[in-house]
Amino acid sequence: MAEYDLETLRQLKRGELPFHLVHEMQSSHKDSDRFFKMLAIAQESVPWDDRILLPYAEHLYIVDKPDKSRVVKCDCGHEFGDYRRNWKLSALVYVRDTEEKINEIYPNMLGCDPEWMHLREYICPGCGTLLEVEAVPPGYPVVFDFQPDIDTFYEKWLKKPLNRE
Ligand SMILES: [Zn+2]
């Protein structure tokens, strides 16, 4: 099993590695401390000090606040609130629900039919980054992508329980 140094993993995160190496890294078993190496790289890449517990999505993390709450935070620093509540409910939303709005990004006739599908774009109020896009039938509830069991993940999978006193 190949072990990769921090600089190689930094380049992986920044998308700077050649395809063949990315493919090799993705296809092989991960070094046992890969999670913590990637966590350290994520931590050094953000301008704030809250401890990252889990990368959540591109640009989003679950962080540990000084008051022991756990919130979803953008790499710009904007906080979306408790991770057990869907962060999208606190995001800016742009709904592409007409042919005109869908044709802004898809050539005519290649996009979805707005009678059948809407595109919902969730945007960070802090930095304006497009964080997530949902393709859903009109009226479909906001999708809650993922609610991790953070304590179990650290205790049972990583064997490094979080200190919560
Ligand atoms: Zn942001």
Side-chain angles (χ1 to χ4, degrees):
M1 176 174 58
E3 290 265 334
Y4 297 102
D5 61 25
L6 278 176
E7 188 48 37
T8 304
L9 293 171
R10 272 187 203 102
Q11 291 173 318
L12 175 70
K13 184 173 188 296
R14 293 192 301 249
E16 296 171 357
L17 294 178
F19 174 78
H20 71 88
L21 183 53
V22 174
H23 182 262
E24 180 187 306
M25 292 170 84
Q26 289 180 327
S27 303
S28 54
H29 288 280
K30 307 299 180 283
D31 20 326
S32 58
D33 60 350
R34 177 76 61 87
F35 175 79
F36 291 104
K37 283 179 177 167
M38 295 310 292
L39 211 55
I41 290 168
Q43 192 76 61
E44 73 187 18
S45 75
V46 294
W48 32 262
D49 295 329
D50 294 320
R51 179 186 175 195
I52 296 173
L53 297 174
L54 206 63
Y56 189 73
E58 197 171 1
H59 303 290
L60 296 180
Y61 309 89
I62 296 175
V63 304
D64 207 7
K65 298 294 293 176
D67 67 1
K68 299 295 177 194
S69 63
R70 294 168 173 176
V71 304
V72 175
K73 187 164 184 155
C74 181
D75 47 22
C76 76
H78 181 81
E79 294 180 357
F80 290 87
D82 192 297
Y83 79 102
R84 294 165 296 184
R85 179 178 178 274
N86 194 347
W87 66 270
K88 292 175 186 170
L89 300 173
S90 306
L92 300 175
V93 189
Y94 184 69
V95 182
R96 295 185 186 274
D97 55 359
T98 64
E99 275 186 35
E100 184 186 12
K101 290 177 182 174
I102 292 166
N103 288 346
E104 287 174 351
I105 51 174
Y106 287 102
N108 199 22
M109 304 298 285
L110 292 180
C112 57
D113 180 340
E115 294 288 314
W116 289 85
M117 186 185 288
H118 291 170
L119 301 176
R120 295 186 196 138
E121 299 173 349
Y122 294 92
I123 298 154
C124 176
C127 63
T129 299
L130 177 62
L131 297 172
E132 176 77 52
V133 179
E134 288 176 352
V136 290
Y140 197 82
V142 176
V143 177
F144 194 166
D145 296 320
F146 160 48
Q147 183 180 328
D149 181 344
I150 297 169
D151 291 298
T152 298
F153 176 63
Y154 272 82
E155 277 170 41
K156 305 242 164 106
W157 289 62
L158 301 175
K159 309 291 185 202
K160 299 206 175 184
L162 287 166
N163 194 348
R164 300 290 294 163
E165 83 280 344

